[in-house]
Amino acid sequence: MTKGRKVCALGMAALMAAGSLTVTGVEQVKADDVVTIKIHTPIPEQTDSDAVMEALNEYTREKIGVEVDYVFHGGSYGDKIQTIIASGEEYDACFTSNWLNPYNTDVVKGAFIDIKDMVKEEAPGLLEVIPEYMWKAATINGGIYAVPNQQIVARQIGALMPKEYVEGTGTDINSIKTLTDMGEYAQKAFDEYGAKVGGVNRTQAADYCGYEYVSDYMAAGAIKMDDEEAKVVNFYATDEWKDMLNELVELNEKGLLDGECGYMDEYCESQRVAKKTSAFYSGTYKPGVEAEESARAGYDCVMATAATEPYISTNSVIATMYGISATSKHPEETLKYLELINTDPYAMNLVSYGIEGKHYEKTGENSIKLIPNSGYSHGQAWALGNVFNTYTLEGQPEDVWEQTKALNDSAKTSPILGFSFDPEPVKMEITNVSKVVKEYESLVGGELPVEETNAEFLEKLEVAGVDKVLEEMQSQIDEFLAAK
């Protein structure tokens, strides 16, 4: 959005009435003092984005003197944001995590500013609403380089499946825990609907295999989820990784795998929306996930959980965050906006679900029903801010957020929960290792000879310096455990 764009017909009074909050005492901000910030997000472009952004900006302009220009990337986000960061292009904030636009890797590159002190001065509301353990998880070498979004932190990877295909094939999703279990369903779904299994998103392969990345998938190091000694290994050298690749090859040889979905995000999203994937391991199970994913896909979805149990790690805590760019000319204003979107239910619901009466209808004080084909239904509130401030969707239990918090409290925790790897001592090696991992992402496509290609992959990782990276990870983890 730009300052010159016309304000939509909805006045502030009407907007307040439509929201869940009544805002009082808002200080009027002079037009000349309004700052426009640019934020890159993985949410796909919506046909009615302009109307929603106008409404959001009318509110934020009056509230904090800031307008927001969201750049919606969809499935192409991972590659595009890395290009933007590498080019030094000016922007203000972007989505970052352990699995998309990797946080630790970005910090190594100097992509984000340290906001540790700025939060105390400019956004004290964030300190109040975001738990201490989340800030601790986002800390690297004493600095904090992103604002965490509150949501589910107990991770259990699952396979997203069209409800129509599951019911039409008479499949019991509770019997499907692995790609091998998927065989009979995959064949029926292909025969009856022409849909193929999307496989496993390469960023979440460790979750499927029962491992936890020490940093992110680009840095190769991982520990097994049930290993209390936290021995660091090269994930791509594990039997579980190779077993998963062989499962994918088996599906592919039967003509039942669309392997490109595993490493081509934009393509995968288009296939999923077109209902051409019968199942795809991506995302995490949580209370009410079916309603959320159905809204995102545009058709009814169900989720078959993997064999791994719900698990909390540092990476699951930092799975959805926003870092303020080192190129930003408005870091304070950007942080104030991130504070608003994480503490203000009206702003969060507006950007998550659009305008009442146009994009959704209220069904209760804090529950809504989405209007079909309204032009604004991305289904990814988790990628924007604090989901505990959002409405519940039709099909979700009224106490979905209480259930989510209860799941967070009951899940198994990592032996290194709270540990954050400092990549600085091996930043050159991590850069080189990341390039090799990127080169071999297509291994999850199920088309390559596993033993031969993975051996070649491991040799290149060794040349890139992976052993030094693993050694440094182990050293830091040992020090962390000794201090506990």
Side-chain angles (χ1 to χ4, degrees):
M1 294 295 130
T2 61
K3 290 188 287 185
R5 181 174 285 182
K6 294 187 292 183
V7 176
C8 68
L10 289 170
M12 180 58 75
L15 282 172
M16 295 305 177
S20 62
L21 289 184
T22 300
V23 180
T24 59
V26 177
E27 182 180 348
Q28 297 294 314
V29 179
K30 295 180 180 179
D32 291 344
D33 295 331
V34 174
V35 167
T36 300
I37 62 174
K38 177 182 286 188
I39 298 180
H40 292 278
T41 177
I43 289 173
E45 180 69 57
Q46 304 291 294
T47 56
D48 213 15
S49 292
D50 284 353
V52 176
M53 292 301 104
E54 290 284 8
L56 176 67
N57 283 333
E58 182 171 356
Y59 183 73
T60 59
R61 183 167 56 244
E62 296 290 334
K63 188 78 171 175
I64 57 173
V66 171
E67 291 184 346
V68 185
D69 177 8
Y70 271 109
V71 183
F72 300 94
H73 291 284
S76 65
Y77 179 77
D79 290 335
K80 285 187 177 178
I81 194 62
Q82 286 294 301
T83 299
I84 289 168
I85 290 173
S87 71
E89 179 180 323
E90 182 185 336
Y91 71 97
D92 296 287
C94 71
F95 180 90
T96 183
S97 68
N98 65 305
W99 59 276
L100 183 63
N101 190 25
Y103 177 57
N104 285 61
T105 303
D106 284 343
V107 172
V108 168
K109 296 176 181 177
F112 307 137
I113 63 171
D114 183 355
I115 61 171
K116 184 175 182 179
D117 295 330
M118 194 190 307
V119 169
K120 300 173 185 176
E121 300 170 4
E122 303 291 344
L126 280 175
L127 291 178
E128 294 179 14
V129 74
I130 297 177
E132 175 62 27
Y133 75 90
M134 296 189 78
W135 290 116
K136 187 174 181 181
T139 300
I140 296 179
N141 197 25
I144 297 174
Y145 298 86
V147 175
N149 297 346
Q150 288 196 76
Q151 55 142 351
I152 183 76
V153 294
R155 297 290 172 190
Q156 183 180 26
I157 192 172
L160 293 168
M161 307 163 75
K163 186 177 181 181
E164 177 189 355
Y165 298 173
V166 172
E167 293 182 345
T169 57
T171 301
D172 175 13
I173 62 170
N174 294 319
S175 67
I176 296 178
K177 298 295 182 183
T178 67
L179 288 161
T180 298
D181 297 339
M182 198 82 66
E184 184 178 350
Y185 163 73
Q187 188 66 61
K188 289 180 178 179
F190 178 71
D191 292 342
E192 295 182 31
Y193 306 103
K196 294 184 178 182
V197 175
V200 179
N201 187 295
R202 81 283 192 199
T203 68
Q204 293 185 280
D207 298 274
Y208 177 86
C209 295
Y211 281 81
E212 169 190 350
Y213 294 120
V214 174
S215 176
D216 53 57
Y217 83 102
M218 298 287 280
I223 65 169
K224 205 165 187 179
M225 285 183 180
D226 58 359
D227 182 11
E228 292 298 323
E229 296 182 358
K231 180 182 177 182
V232 180
V233 298
N234 179 350
F235 172 64
Y236 303 111
T238 65
D239 290 338
E240 291 86 352
W241 160 255
K242 286 181 282 188
D243 288 345
M244 183 198 76
L245 295 183
N246 282 316
E247 285 185 291
L248 291 166
V249 167
E250 185 176 351
L251 282 172
N252 190 62
E253 288 177 344
K254 295 177 180 178
L256 303 177
L257 180 73
D258 186 350
E260 291 183 340
C261 287
Y263 60 95
M264 295 179 63
D265 295 336
E266 188 171 15
Y267 168 77
C268 179
E269 188 67 12
S270 68
Q271 292 296 95
R272 197 166 93 81
V273 170
K275 221 171 178 180
K276 293 182 179 179
T277 53
S278 58
F280 179 52
Y281 279 99
S282 179
T284 187
Y285 174 77
K286 55 188 174 181
V289 68
E290 294 86 359
E292 186 177 289
E293 289 296 340
S294 296
R296 177 184 172 191
Y299 54 83
D300 289 342
C301 295
V302 294
M303 178 175 275
T305 55
T308 54
E309 296 297 319
Y311 184 81
I312 299 177
S313 67
T314 300
N315 276 332
S316 69
V317 175
I318 66 169
T320 54
M321 305 193 295
Y322 276 86
I324 297 179
S325 174
T327 65
S328 173
K329 292 184 178 178
H330 308 290
E332 292 85 3
E333 290 86 353
T334 303
L335 185 59
K336 286 179 179 178
Y337 174 76
L338 293 176
E339 177 184 35
L340 183 73
I341 209 67
N342 279 280
T343 59
D344 186 319
Y346 175 73
M348 180 59 182
N349 278 303
L350 180 56
V351 74
S352 297
Y353 301 120
I355 301 167
E356 182 180 358
K358 187 173 186 179
H359 304 115
Y360 68 86
E361 297 173 351
K362 295 288 287 291
T363 58
E365 184 178 354
N366 292 303
S367 58
I368 62 172
K369 176 181 180 180
L370 300 178
I371 297 174
N373 304 312
S374 71
Y376 197 84
S377 182
H378 54 71
Q380 296 183 41
W382 52 265
L384 289 162
N386 182 0
V387 300
F388 297 145
N389 282 338
T390 61
Y391 297 128
T392 58
L393 296 171
E394 184 180 33
Q396 289 182 325
E398 291 184 4
D399 64 344
V400 63
W401 302 133
E402 287 73 19
Q403 288 188 31
T404 301
K405 292 174 183 177
L407 180 57
N408 286 344
D409 292 339
S410 64
K412 182 179 180 180
T413 58
S414 165
I416 57 171
L417 182 63
F419 169 76
S420 184
F421 177 61
D422 175 14
E424 185 64 28
V426 285
K427 62 181 181 181
M428 182 182 299
E429 288 80 6
I430 286 180
T431 297
N432 293 333
V433 166
S434 297
K435 289 178 181 177
V436 176
V437 172
K438 187 71 176 176
E439 180 184 351
Y440 282 85
E441 283 184 330
S442 60
L443 268 167
V444 297
E447 298 178 353
L448 302 171
V450 172
E451 291 299 329
E452 178 183 335
T453 310
N454 201 68
E456 180 183 286
F457 178 27
L458 294 176
E459 287 179 8
K460 289 191 177 182
L461 284 175
E462 187 173 347
V463 172
V466 71
D467 289 341
K468 188 173 181 180
V469 173
L470 301 180
E471 183 181 346
E472 180 62 29
M473 287 178 171
Q474 189 70 69
S475 176
Q476 291 187 28
I477 285 176
D478 290 345
E479 184 177 345
F480 170 81
L481 292 176
K484 288 182 70 174

